[in-house]
Amino acid sequence: MFTPDQLRHAVTQAQAGYWGPFARAVTLIENAPAWDVELPQSSSRTHIVGITGPPGAGKSTLTGRLIDAYANAGSRVAVLAIDPSSATTGGAVLGDRLRMETHLAGRPEVFVRSLASRGSHGAVAAATRNIARLLELSELFDVVLIETVGAGQTEIAIVEIADTVLLVTVPGLGDAVQSIKAGLMEVADMFVVNMADRPGAAESARHLRLAAGRGVEVLQTVATDGKGVGEVCAALEKRWLGLVESDAIGTLRSRKWASDAALVAEGWVAACAEAVAVTDGGNMRDAVGRILQSASKNWELRAR
């Protein structure tokens, strides 16, 4: 795709305030099959924060406020905002970026990229993992914020990318934990009850504290006016320092690297399977064997 020298050039240009080559590198990764992207494992210390939760919880507004808070504190910020794609055209409105525009004015050092989900499972675009790794490798950023499409109970793919999963919800959803029980409740590292100026916010926060039951931070914000955002940043920083000082980040990154490899393998096998003749009524073990043999053979040929 691009050589290490090209990557270094893109990073150097970005450091000088010219983001064109770096943005083109992101586009190349976004449009390439995952197995065509060969980026080494990063050893940089960039905090990757996944921001997820039900649609309408104010994730984009909160992300914009976090951009302000981090940038005002002198931190370098990158944002990946994932928007849902049309099932008909494959396109996306990319409205998350539009909602953040007021927080980007006058901040050339902040890098924001919108990504269309393109039908990816888990509320996270398929290319997001590799783009996040590129952002890490560049060593241009202190924190990377990844805002998901708007997740339901089983949309937990963000946990395989982020160091910290921040789940955003709002009062008045009926059952206080209905939108986040099971999968997301188990993987979230922090909870934010946004729109906390609405009735029932304190009750929702109380239910979350009882449901989490493991010392997880539960915070309240009113993102439209910035109330509580400072506390969210402080809690994120506290968690990050804990990960680094205990070296838990090393274990976390190793697990993510293995997960990335498994995801690429899954995509490669699925792509190879399209060219393998599998007849109805045959032996399933034999059919699976033919697919795996084809994938293995083609992978070896590709590596030559």
Side-chain angles (χ1 to χ4, degrees), residues 62-240:
L62 179 60
T63 301
R65 291 292 182 180
L66 288 172
I67 292 172
D68 281 342
Y70 277 117
N72 289 339
S75 296
R76 301 165 298 174
V77 187
V79 180
L80 298 179
I82 305 169
D83 286 274
S85 298
S86 165
T88 303
T89 66
V93 175
L94 305 180
D96 288 342
R97 172 64 182 266
L98 296 176
R99 286 188 286 270
M100 295 176 196
E101 284 295 336
T102 56
H103 304 282
L104 302 177
R107 299 194 188 282
E109 73 282 2
V110 176
F111 180 80
V112 177
R113 180 61 177 255
S114 292
L115 303 174
S117 64
R118 302 185 183 184
S120 297
H121 298 294
V124 181
T128 305
R129 293 174 182 237
N130 283 325
I131 295 173
R133 187 178 299 126
L134 174 67
L135 297 174
E136 286 183 281
L137 285 167
S138 73
E139 298 186 352
L140 289 168
F141 309 103
D142 300 301
V143 62
V144 175
L145 306 176
I146 302 177
E147 183 198 339
T148 71
V149 169
Q153 294 176 13
T154 61
E155 308 283 344
I156 59 174
I158 187 63
V159 74
E160 300 298 342
I161 304 174
D163 303 312
T164 299
V165 176
L166 178 65
L167 194 147
V168 184
T169 186
V170 292
L173 291 179
D175 180 352
V177 294
Q178 178 62 36
S179 66
I180 52 175
K181 63 186 179 183
L184 277 176
M185 174 63 77
E186 295 167 359
V187 302
D189 300 300
M190 293 173 53
F191 295 93
V192 170
V193 178
N194 191 31
M195 305 182 192
D197 52 345
R198 292 183 176 181
E203 185 71 4
S204 294
R206 186 178 69 83
H207 276 284
L208 283 170
R209 290 189 183 96
L210 290 173
R214 50 188 173 98
V216 177
E217 292 268 16
V218 178
L219 304 164
Q220 298 183 50
T221 62
V222 182
T224 51
D225 62 14
K227 182 180 178 180
V229 174
E231 287 80 356
V232 174
C233 283
L236 288 170
E237 181 65 14
K238 178 182 177 182
R239 171 174 164 78
W240 178 241

Side-chain angles (χ1 to χ4, degrees), residues 269-295 298:
V269 171
C272 292
E274 296 177 1
V276 177
V278 178
T279 58
D280 291 340
N283 183 285
M284 178 59 71
R285 181 182 293 274
D286 290 343
V288 172
R290 286 197 297 274
I291 292 172
L292 293 177
Q293 287 172 6
S294 174
N298 287 330

Side-chain angles (χ1 to χ4, degrees), residues 40-57:
Q41 187 173 12
S42 173
S43 60
S44 72
R45 288 293 185 255
T46 301
H47 190 186
I48 300 180
V49 179
I51 301 173
T52 190

